[in-house]
Amino acid sequence: MNSRIKGKTIVITGASGGIGEQMAIKVAESGGNLALIARRVHLLEALKEKLITEYHCKVEVYPLNVTDYDEIPRTFNTILKDFGAIHALINNAGYGIFQEAHETSFQDVKGMMDVNVLGLMACTGEVLPYMRQQGSGHIINIASQAGKFASPKSSAYSASKHAVLGYTNSLRMEAKRYGVTVTAVNPGPIATDFFSIADESGTYVKNVEKFMLDPAHVAQKVVEALFTNRREINLPRWMNMGSVIYQLFPSFVEKVGNNLFFKK
Ligand SMILES: NC(=O)c1ccc[n+]([C@@H]2O[C@H](COP(=O)([O-])OP(=O)(O)OC[C@H]3O[C@@H](n4cnc5c(N)ncnc54)[C@H](OP(=O)(O)O)[C@@H]3O)[C@@H](O)[C@H]2O)c1
């Protein structure tokens, strides 16, 4: 439970499954109100019903493809009208395709950039002027360990998450000056439907299954951080240590870890 959430309005993109759905449940447990965004509206409606029945909070559903950039301002205006305020935005919608660069079509590269980077920036762009005027707010961007440590077989996905971290780190310094907090979340592999697209062959999942994070645990850590000044959440800790060592000694890690990374 996070007592700072009670009565606040939290917008979550990609709330129809995976960690987005789990974060919505944790927010509702703490007495927050929710604006849920994703494309699969039937899943959002089912989640809305569950949250209202179990937690008696206010929940509204907003069908949106975050690459429909013209529609994003309309959606956020409607959320503001429906709730009267937006206290936090969790930019979570995203996907990956784990392929080597020479196998990845430009269409797929663009798809990941459009959703993971531009969709996130477009949604953020809608709340920033509002939060700036309000003098408060919290933006949480779900990046990835792939944004800190680019391993093979996910060049386009890693590039998209590096972009998310670059944007987040810059925004954090700007937004602090007008009272808005910005947090990056960098998880390692999580047991969600993400891998039905990322890893069609199932090879990666087979190799990392025993290290996979529980989506409810990741959601718990993110929701605990809402309305705190947490800079980054890195999970699991041992994987983040790997990212730190990589940043310090990139040539050494690339040499020693090469065969291991290709197990993906
Ligand atoms: N699973 C992992 O191992 C892992 C690790 C590190 C980071 N992450 C990141 O965590 C976030 C959530 O992933 P997950 O693991 O929970 O995957 P997931 O179960 O596949 O959920 C992805 C969510 O994003 C939504 N989404 C995808 N494309 C969208 C679009 N164009 N417009 C609106 N919503 C869209 C999906 O909803 P609809 O299909 O209904 O639109 C779904 O709700 C992603 O940003 C991912 O990159 C995941």
Side-chain angles (χ1 to χ4, degrees), residues 194-208:
F194 176 87
F195 291 102
S196 62
I197 298 174
D199 175 43
E200 268 188 334
S201 71
T203 318
Y204 178 74
V205 170
K206 218 162 80 196
N207 286 329
V208 303

Side-chain angles (χ1 to χ4, degrees), residues 199-229:
D199 175 43
E200 268 188 334
S201 71
T203 318
Y204 178 74
V205 170
K206 218 162 80 196
N207 286 329
V208 303
E209 213 159 22
K210 50 180 176 294
F211 306 120
M212 281 222 188
L213 294 160
D214 169 16
H217 171 70
V218 177
Q220 178 70 32
K221 293 288 174 198
V222 177
V223 172
E224 272 171 12
L226 262 172
F227 308 115
T228 70
N229 286 325

Side-chain angles (χ1 to χ4, degrees), residues 13-21 23 37-44 64-68 91-96 98 111 114-116 120 142-146 157 160-161 185-197 204 212-213 215 235:
T13 71
S16 60
I19 57 172
E21 178 185 14
M23 290 188 291
I37 291 175
R39 292 165 303 179
R40 289 170 298 171
V41 67
H42 65 286
L43 295 177
L44 294 180
L64 175 73
N65 183 333
V66 297
T67 67
D68 194 351
N91 280 307
N92 166 70
Y95 76 103
F98 288 179
D114 284 348
V115 176
N116 301 354
L120 175 147
I142 309 296
S144 171
Q145 283 294 320
Y157 179 67
S160 76
K161 293 299 185 176
V185 182
N186 303 308
I190 314 165
T192 67
D193 278 351
F194 176 87
F195 291 102
S196 62
I197 298 174
Y204 178 74
M212 281 222 188
L213 294 160
L235 295 163

